[in-house]
Amino acid sequence: DRATLDQVLGMPAASDHDADLVREIVLRTGARDAVADAIDDHVARGIRVAADLPAPLATYLADLARSMRSRTR
């Protein structure tokens, strides 16, 4: 896995097959889930911190944070 990642990541000539291998490694190792969990933790923390701000700003920032969590790109 590590050798494949080292070889493929950042390789301008990577093929669709190479990208499929990387995706499979990321999914199989749980890396994608770990990153999603970290994002959720940071979003929740940001919303808690924003709650101490004036209401209109806190609401705006909380909504913004939630919308960013659902982005795929």
Side-chain angles (χ1 to χ4, degrees):
D1 289 350
R2 180 62 186 208
T4 300
L5 294 175
D6 286 344
Q7 178 183 356
V8 174
L9 293 178
M11 183 173 68
S15 67
D16 288 342
H17 176 72
D18 294 329
D20 288 340
L21 288 173
V22 169
R23 276 190 286 276
E24 188 274 326
I25 291 168
V26 168
L27 290 172
R28 182 171 34 83
T29 61
R32 182 178 181 166
D33 290 336
V35 169
D37 289 345
I39 291 169
D40 289 341
D41 291 346
H42 287 290
V43 167
R45 181 173 181 255
I47 291 169
R48 284 192 308 274
V49 168
D52 292 336
L53 298 171
L57 181 57
T59 300
Y60 172 78
L61 291 174
D63 290 345
L64 179 62
R66 286 185 194 99
S67 73
M68 298 303 289
R69 172 56 186 98
S70 61
R71 286 184 60 182
T72 59
R73 291 182 180 250

